Structures are given as structure tokens and as C-alpha cells.
Amino acid sequence: MSGSPYVSLQRTEAIDRRELLDLTSYDVSLDLAADETTFASHTTIRFRSRGGPTFVDLKPVSVRSITLNGERIDPDLLRGGRVPLETAAGDNELVVDAVMRFRNDGEGLHRSVDPADGRHYVYGMSFMDAAPSVFACFDQPDLKAPYRLAVRAPQDWVVVANAPGEQVEPGSWVFEETPPLSTYFVTVVAGPYHLIADEHDGIPLGLSARASLARELEADADELFTLTRQGFDEMHRLFGIRYPFGSYHQAFVPEFNAGAMENPGCVTFRDPLIFTSKVTRGARIVRATTVAHEMAHQWFGNLTTPTWWDDLWLNESFAEYIGTRVTADVTQYDDAWVHSSYMRRQWGLLADAGPATHPVAGNGAVDATAALQDFDGISYVKGSTLLKQLNGRLGDEVFFAGVVDHFETHRFGNATMHDLFASWEKAGAGDLSDVTDGWLRTRGVDTVTHDREAGVLRRTPPAVEPVERTHRFTLSVTPAVGTGRRVPITLDASTTPLEVDADDAVVIDVDEDSWLLARPDATTVSLLPSVMRSSRDPMERAAVWNNLRSAFEMGGATPEDVLAVAVVAIPDETSDEPLSFNGWASSPSKMLLMEWLVAKVAPLAGDPRAALGALHQACLARATTADPGSTVQLAAFQGAIASCDTAEEVSSWLAGDVPEGIHADLSLRWRLLVRLAALGGTDRTTLDRLLAEEPTATSRVDHARAVASLPDDEAKAWAWGRFTGVEDVPNYELQATGQGMWVPGQEHLTTPYVERFFADVPSTPSHRSGWVLADAACWFFPLTSQDPHTVRLAGRLAGDESLDLSLRRQLRVMADELERRLAVRAVPA
């Protein structure tokens, strides 16, 4: 329309609009059948106003008409995604008829084509500021209203939305009115999806996925429905409030940015969670905790919604805590807390210790764009840990009494942190100001160091915001010979005495009950291999790794220290958690342990090739000694692939010379091909041919990763064209391309793109928005350019106030990551 950039909603504007308006209802009609690039969106909003000016949010391709109380509004008034309105005191009716664009970035109404069969699929992701690209709305969380939805779709499509619905005539679907919802919860999932129905405790249940995944969905349905039943039973027990949104459908959709989205009545998940190849137990725990996390949101966020994004922890921290707790307590995945330790803790710690740290609550989200960046390890992992601490202090009876009072007081409404703490105090929690002031509203993480010479544990508050905090946790003290012991600690001053023998290894916060950066002393670091030899406690082994990872990130351990533990621990592992190699983490802070070892620690060692070789031999040893066909064997073999540095060995595996029990299914074959491409053992023609032979979604994404990994100029130019928008590709392919671009050892090819990255980043908002804008800057950041000049370039651009705020933040985070890598290289082994 106007060509002006979209304006992010300011918190002050949201307050003014909420004081002016009370919403009555939305009627939304979408026509998805007319065009493959655009769709018609007709919205009627009924509301009461105190009278005066405001605006409605709208991000269309074109506007057919806008009327307020029967009076026409000139569509040319649309600027920056807003149409100004002069409301009358009392009842108002706004009608907007517009044409919207289907998107391919995982936001708005996303449309994708399944390469397996050419069928089209649509789903809605209205989160944050994406709803106005689907329907006209007052887009803020505290302007809730019931929705009635009608959808016209191709006749071979099925349509699911937030409320139950039916096809009233071929291609025409009508849905029941929802309870009051925030705009960011509204969704529609439409296409030739394969559906499975069930029921539990009076709640209709559903699952759906692309038709090409029908067989796999059927295979996974029993586990998914079992997890759902167990989750509902336990959450009904904990909360005493039944699920309030009628039916519960779980839709697995293509090219979804997040793990899932908690839309009431129709939760959307990324469809790689429907497993098309053999996966590790860790991957199944990811899915189980994600299912439970989204179920917890039906209460934390959906029934009672934060008033503004500065309290998003009321959604995410609670869902993280309850989701992991319920998974551990009532499902087959009773080791979910151990899994969380390996997968999530470092994500939170690095965020809280880094340049983009922010409070858990009251995070300073001045607008919706800024708030989007706070969906990070602080809001999820730190907040979850603080809730776990608080639950341990209050006990279940008081903790959940306060939670339930919060839900009942603000049912289908909005609330703040202060409302929740008032409910807890009403339930008998007493004064919790130390929690709000010391933990929730202050930035940064305390470092707890073992000072062996002084005979103390030392607490160092974060420099960014020093504050007094009390830590209660347990130490594991393991002698060189003999049995280890557990020592409970209360650290409520700068130091507390700790008497241990000279050769005792001390693992800090072994059960991870407190939020802290553990920094073991040099003696303990040197003894950790022996701890790993003797310990069979899964939580202790996880804590050893997190102690060591934190020490490494803070300069208290060298790559050689870390590798000494790895070569002892890996061949002896009985769990696939520490071995699991996702391989494609969305950011450095989200690396799983094995990925961190291969992609970060080994390249920083004094002899990177020898370090990688040592990891390779350790992984290969476990892959050949583990039970054939076990997930431990699979995880170890994935690590062996990633750490292999000869194309000949990868080629032999592709030819079938793999350990007994390993089956090279599609996913594993592409993992091998990606590594082979990075080693220069294949070419673009071969990769293109293999994609054409099996054109699945998995193949297409991994093909992009493999092509970008090829060690030639043409491949890097191809990858860069995707970053700069010369070629517009879906979000998953964009991520894979960025992750394949910067392969260690290919600096002779990628060095020219270092300066180009900083030259091209500022223009990316012209062709990218939302989550993908900042994420792409992370995926394509030149981390292999370990040069102080690169840090300076990033810092200079991050200081440019004309640059998009989310890009500035991402640049600060990535520069900090690179600076820490440079610091490791500067320390002698």
C-alpha cells in the first residue's frame, strides 16, 4: 500500500488503546481458494469506545474497503500497518475487506508446497505482530474478544481452527465462537492434511500432518495421544481447573519457526516432530516436553494472559517448568530434567551472562519488536529454574493454591506479575519481595567459584546489576579414591566455608536447583575425567558437563581440559543425551553437548585436527560397542559423522560399511552427504540428482545445507544470494543455507564474505521481518572469522541506532560469542 515500513506497537500506545476500547467480538472470513499467492480477508470488529481517535492494525497487499459505523474510510490513510480511526462513544462496528499475502517465513498465513507430492498447505501464526497480515485487528494481548471464523478453501482441503467447526458445503467451513482470545492466538490450519481423531475425559482430541507424512503420523499417534492424556490428567490434578477451550487439536505443520505455538484449541508444531527416520531418545523427550509445554500454556497464557510482553515469563517460564515437571512425573520420560540439563541450561546461562541479558520480569519491552527478542533462554530456562526454586521453598500446596487463585481471578482475562504474587501471598506464601527484587527484576547471573586455597565457595554477583541473592544447592565431592558424598550448601553471603581434601573433585550445584554459573577450580577441572569414570548418576554427569562448559566459556578451562573429559566419558556413555548431535542448532548458545564439542571446542584446540580426531575415535568406539540398533549407538554414530575429517571414510559409510545395527535411512544418508560435501567429496550435480530422486522436505533442507557446505566459490555465492534475498526461499532452507556457509577450514573461500556480511545486513529488513530477520543474521554471521577486526565490525554496526533493533541485539550477541572464542585461543594449552 503506502510503502512505508510497519510500525511496531509501543507499550504506551497499547495502554492508551486499552483505556479507550472494550472489544465485543470478531467475525473473520478468509478465502484461501482464489489464488496461490494472496487471500481475501474480511473482518468485522464490534467494540465499545469511550470516544476518540485510535487506529486498527492492518498489513495487506491491497484494501477493498474500510467502514466504521457505516462511514467509508479512505484506504489511502493506511500508513505503517495502521489505519487511523475516529471512534464514537458507545458501540462501534469496523468492517475491513482486504487482500493479504501468503507468507513463507513461518509467520502470518504461511503457505508451503510439499516437495514430496506438490500439495499446498497453509497454517496461521499470528504471534506478536503477525496477526494484522491475516486479518484487521487491535493487535495487543490485553484486547481480547471471542472470534467467529469462516473459511473458503479448495474442496480437497480440510480446515481446523481454534474452535470446533464443520464443512457446511464443499470448500466452505464455519467454526463455533471461541472464548475470548488475544489476537496472537488466532489460527487456521488448512490443506489436504491427514487427520486422526480421539477423545479423553470428554475432550475431543485430534492430530494432523501433511498427507506425505500420514504413515509416520499413524505410527506416532499412540505415543502422542498417550502423552496428551497423561498431560491433561496431571494438569487437571495440579490446577483443579479443567481445560477450558473445548476440543484439543495438535497440528504438525511445515516450515514452522518455533518448536510449537499454543493456539487454544489448535496447537501448531513443527512437523519434523513427526519422525520420518530413526531418532534418539533425546529427540523423543524434546517432543514429549514440547507437547506438555504447549498444554501448560492452555492455562499459563491462554486462560490468563499477560497484559503486556514485559511479563511474557508468565507464559514461557511457567510452561517450561510445568512441561518438564509433568513429563518427568507422569510419562515414560522420567529423565526429562536430565534432558533439560543437557539441552537447555547453557542456553539460559549464556544469555544471562551475555550482552543482551535482561530481567525475567519487567524486561523493558518498549514495543512488540523488542519483546520478540526476549523469547530467549532467560525467559524460558532461567525463569523455569526460578519457579522450581520457589516451588521448593513454598511447597506444592501453597505454590499451586496461588496459581489457581490467579487463574480464577483473571479467567479469560489479563494479569501482571503483581497479580500473581498477590495470589501467592493470599495463599500463605508470605513476603516474596526477595524473589521479585533479587531474582525476577534484576539482570545477570551470579558466578559461584570454588576457592580451594581460601577454603570457601565464593559468590560473585553480576557486574551488570549487583544484587544480594541466596543460593541453596548441593555439591558433589568425589575423592581420588573412595566414595563421593553430597554436601548441602546455603550461600547467603559473599563466601561460605568449604573444607575438602586436596585431591577432592567438587561439582557445584550437582542437582541444578539454583540459577548460577558454576566455576570449578583448576584441581577439580583436572579431576573431572576420574569423576566421569566413577559416576553413574545421570544428573551428576550432566552437572559435570555444565560445570565444565561454564568454566570453558569464562576462561577457566581450556579445550584440552574439555577434550580430556570427552575422550573418557563418550566411550562409556549409557545414555544418548550427552551423545545426541542435532547438528543444526539455531544459535551457538543452543548447541547440544556433542555439537559444542565438535563445532566449537575442537576448532579452538591447539591442534584442531588432532582434537577432532580424538572426538571421532571416541564416538566411533561407542558406536561399535553400544547395543546394535540402540539410540546410544545412533547418537554416537551421528557424532562420528560430524567429527570425521576424511571424505573416504564418509564415502565408505554411504556405501554401506557401517557398524552393525546402523541403518542408513533418509535422514542419516543426508547427514552423511552434508559432511561429505563439506569435505569436498561430492559435487552439486550429485546432490541435485539425489534431491530429485527423493524430493522430501527433509531432502530439500539438507540439500541446501550440503550445497552451501561445498568448498567452492560457486556454492558460497549461491548461499549468499539467499541471504541477500536474490533468491527467496522458505525459512528452513534459509537456516540450512546459513549453517552450511561457514565451514571451519574453508576460510580461503569465506573471508571475502566477512566484510560483505556487515555491508549487507542493514538492508535485510527490506525483504525479511519478524523472527527470521534476526535469526538470519545469526545463521549467516561469520563465526569462523576469528579475528578481532570482525568483532570490531560487529560492535560498530551494533552501535548504529538507525539499524533495526533486533539486528543490533543479534550482532551484540554474536560479537560476544566470537570474542569469547578469541579469548580461548589466546590462552596457552
Side-chain angles (χ1 to χ4, degrees):
M1 290 293 294
S2 67
S4 60
Y6 295 135
V7 177
S8 184
L9 181 69
Q10 303 290 303
R11 183 179 184 181
T12 53
E13 294 175 315
I15 292 171
D16 290 343
R17 192 160 61 174
R18 178 64 189 89
E19 289 178 351
L20 182 70
L21 306 180
D22 292 304
L23 300 196
T24 304
S25 68
Y26 279 87
D27 282 275
V28 178
S29 177
L30 304 175
D31 185 349
L32 313 182
D35 189 357
E36 293 184 0
T37 59
T38 62
F39 61 96
S41 172
H42 187 280
T43 306
T44 301
I45 312 174
R46 298 177 181 88
F47 60 94
R48 291 187 61 80
S49 174
R50 287 149 192 84
T54 187
F55 57 90
V56 67
D57 301 292
L58 182 64
K59 300 176 180 179
V61 175
S62 61
V63 176
R64 293 169 173 166
S65 65
I66 306 173
T67 62
L68 177 62
N69 302 325
E71 298 292 327
R72 183 181 179 277
I73 295 176
D74 185 352
D76 288 339
L77 294 174
L78 175 65
R79 291 288 186 277
R82 300 175 174 187
V83 178
L85 305 174
E86 186 63 44
T87 66
D91 292 331
N92 290 255
E93 182 178 271
L94 176 69
V95 181
V96 179
D97 190 5
V99 177
M100 307 294 200
R101 190 180 308 280
F102 286 115
R103 297 170 65 169
N104 70 349
D105 59 358
E107 300 185 52
L109 211 54
H110 180 104
R111 185 169 186 142
S112 67
V113 180
D114 188 345
D117 56 20
R119 294 182 177 183
H120 289 238
Y121 293 88
V122 167
Y123 64 86
M125 178 59 161
S126 298
F127 188 65
M128 288 310 238
D129 60 355
S133 67
V134 181
F135 59 99
C137 57
F138 298 110
D139 189 25
Q140 59 190 74
D142 60 344
L143 282 175
K144 286 184 162 183
Y147 285 77
R148 289 184 294 268
L149 180 67
V151 177
R152 181 173 174 266
Q155 292 185 19
D156 63 332
W157 286 18
V158 293
V159 184
V160 181
N162 299 97
E166 61 179 340
Q167 186 172 203
V168 295
E169 59 182 63
S172 181
W173 298 75
V174 176
F175 296 86
E176 297 174 12
E177 184 174 89
T178 71
L181 304 180
S182 298
T183 49
Y184 76 94
F185 293 136
V186 178
T187 194
V188 58
V189 176
Y193 285 94
H194 180 68
L195 270 63
I196 305 175
D198 203 343
E199 182 273 341
H200 177 66
D201 193 21
I203 304 170
L205 305 179
L207 301 171
S208 61
R210 288 176 287 135
S212 64
L213 296 176
R215 182 182 62 185
E216 290 81 4
L217 182 65
E218 293 281 353
D220 283 353
D222 182 62
E223 179 172 325
L224 289 166
F225 279 136
T226 297
L227 292 168
T228 304
R229 296 184 198 103
Q230 292 168 329
F232 270 133
D233 288 347
E234 180 66 358
M235 291 182 205
H236 285 160
R237 184 188 74 82
L238 291 174
F239 306 143
I241 299 173
R242 283 184 58 79
Y243 169 67
F245 296 101
S247 58
Y248 192 72
H249 189 87
Q250 296 174 100
F252 294 83
V253 299
E255 299 167 350
F256 197 73
N257 282 328
M261 178 63 201
E262 65 268 21
N263 316 302
C266 184
V267 178
T268 43
F269 296 81
R270 56 169 51 221
D271 68 8
L273 290 174
I274 298 300
F275 302 131
T276 58
S277 295
K278 184 175 181 178
V279 297
T280 62
R281 176 180 172 84
R284 292 189 177 275
I285 298 177
V286 168
R287 185 170 70 181
T289 54
T290 303
V291 167
H293 180 109
E294 303 312 316
M295 294 180 75
H297 270 310
Q298 306 308 312
W299 289 266
F300 295 104
N302 296 8
L303 180 61
T304 302
T305 308
T307 299
W308 182 247
W309 301 113
D310 60 342
D311 268 329
L312 67 89
W313 76 284
L314 293 173
N315 287 2
E316 300 304 343
S317 300
F318 273 96
E320 182 87 0
Y321 169 61
I322 295 295
T324 305
R325 171 177 165 156
V326 166
T327 302
D329 287 353
V330 302
T331 79
Q332 64 177 304
Y333 301 112
D334 55 1
D335 51 344
W337 285 114
V338 176
H339 167 83
S340 177
S341 176
Y342 279 109
M343 185 169 185
R344 307 289 269 184
R345 191 165 176 90
Q346 287 296 318
W347 178 37
L349 289 173
L350 289 174
D352 207 19
T357 183
H358 58 82
V360 173
N363 57 28
V366 295
D367 60 30
T369 298
L372 183 59
Q373 300 309 306
D374 288 334
F375 283 79
D376 59 10
I378 296 170
S379 297
Y380 285 75
V381 190
K382 180 179 181 178
S384 170
T385 304
L386 301 187
L387 290 172
K388 187 179 178 184
Q389 290 177 198
L390 183 59
N391 177 263
R393 170 175 163 177
L394 300 181
D396 268 2
E397 183 176 351
V398 172
F399 183 88
F400 285 107
V403 165
V404 170
D405 181 76
H406 181 68
F407 292 152
E408 291 177 338
T409 303
H410 307 284
R411 185 179 179 87
F412 294 123
N414 299 84
T416 67
M417 176 189 77
H418 301 291
D419 295 321
L420 174 60
F421 275 81
S423 290
W424 268 326
E425 290 173 7
K426 179 180 173 182
D431 182 9
L432 295 177
S433 59
D434 61 314
V435 177
T436 56
D437 296 341
W439 290 102
L440 290 173
R441 303 189 70 176
T442 50
R443 298 174 293 160
V445 57
D446 291 350
T447 302
V448 175
T449 307
H450 179 204
D451 187 336
R452 191 177 296 258
E453 184 175 341
V456 298
L457 284 176
R458 194 179 306 280
R459 182 188 77 90
T460 304
V464 66
E465 202 163 355
V467 64
E468 295 301 318
R469 293 167 174 158
T470 296
H471 295 271
R472 294 178 179 85
F473 56 87
T474 302
L475 300 176
S476 169
V477 180
T478 305
V481 178
T483 304
R485 67 186 192 278
R486 298 293 181 95
V487 179
I489 295 290
T490 297
L491 185 52
D492 55 5
S494 59
T495 62
T496 193
L498 178 64
E499 294 295 331
V500 296
D501 291 340
D503 58 355
D504 283 346
V506 178
V507 179
I508 299 168
D509 193 14
V510 68
D511 296 315
E512 297 186 352
D513 289 324
S514 194
W515 187 250
L516 55 86
L517 268 170
R519 182 163 184 167
D521 74 319
T523 298
T524 289
V525 169
S526 69
L527 293 171
L528 288 180
S530 65
V531 175
M532 282 300 206
R533 287 191 187 95
S534 63
S535 177
R536 297 270 62 90
D537 181 338
M539 194 66 232
E540 181 178 36
R541 292 174 74 88
V544 166
W545 276 118
N546 278 324
N547 271 230
L548 188 56
R549 289 185 70 168
S550 293
F552 178 86
E553 297 294 346
M554 294 184 293
T558 66
E560 287 69 26
D561 292 327
V562 174
L563 292 165
V565 177
V567 298
V568 167
I570 291 171
D572 195 36
E573 273 300 342
T574 57
S575 166
D576 65 29
E577 286 291 354
L579 302 175
S580 293
F581 191 96
N582 175 38
W584 332 121
S586 58
S587 69
S589 64
K590 280 192 168 184
M591 287 181 180
L592 298 182
L593 174 63
M594 185 59 67
E595 183 175 10
W596 177 75
L597 291 169
V598 169
K600 183 170 181 178
V601 176
L604 294 174
D607 185 341
R609 185 167 188 182
L612 194 64
L615 288 174
H616 180 65
Q617 291 304 314
C619 290
L620 202 55
R622 193 63 187 119
T624 54
T625 59
D627 291 341
S630 66
T631 62
V632 170
Q633 183 191 43
L634 175 62
F637 188 63
Q638 290 172 351
I641 294 170
S643 55
C644 184
D645 68 352
T646 64
E648 292 76 16
E649 188 170 21
V650 179
S651 295
S652 73
W653 288 335
L654 273 167
D657 186 17
V658 296
E660 180 188 357
I662 293 294
H663 171 61
D665 55 24
L666 180 65
S667 177
L668 198 62
R669 288 201 306 277
W670 273 107
R671 192 180 290 266
L672 288 163
L673 286 165
V674 168
R675 187 60 187 155
L676 188 63
L679 294 170
T682 188
D683 56 29
R684 174 71 183 273
T685 301
T686 301
L687 294 171
D688 289 350
R689 174 178 57 80
L690 292 170
L691 174 61
E693 289 174 359
E694 286 188 279
T696 68
T698 295
S699 300
R700 188 168 65 182
V701 171
D702 283 338
H703 170 269
R705 184 177 286 113
V707 171
S709 300
L710 288 168
D712 61 60
D713 289 322
E714 183 181 354
K716 302 310 175 186
W718 174 87
W720 206 251
R722 292 180 161 209
F723 176 60
T724 57
V726 172
E727 183 182 359
D728 183 30
V729 295
N731 46 352
Y732 282 17
E733 288 184 62
L734 183 67
Q735 177 177 351
T737 303
Q739 291 164 338
M741 173 85 189
W742 304 91
V743 176
Q746 295 183 356
E747 288 77 17
H748 61 292
L749 296 169
T750 56
T751 293
Y753 290 94
V754 176
E755 297 275 355
R756 289 184 64 179
F757 173 82
F758 296 104
D760 291 341
V761 160
S763 64
T764 52
S766 67
H767 54 273
R768 205 166 282 140
S769 64
W771 277 354
V772 175
L773 174 62
D775 284 349
C778 172
W779 302 331
F780 282 86
F781 188 90
L783 267 179
T784 58
S785 176
Q786 291 170 10
D787 185 323
H789 179 60
T790 307
V791 176
R792 288 192 294 271
L793 288 173
R796 187 180 308 141
L797 190 56
D800 183 352
E801 294 186 1
S802 68
L803 190 65
D804 177 271
L805 187 62
S806 65
L807 290 176
R808 295 177 64 195
R809 175 167 170 164
Q810 189 67 265
L811 288 167
R812 291 198 306 272
V813 169
M814 297 305 289
D816 178 68
E817 170 69 24
L818 185 53
E819 202 161 18
R820 281 185 283 107
R821 295 188 183 200
L822 289 170
V824 170
R825 298 197 103 176
V827 177

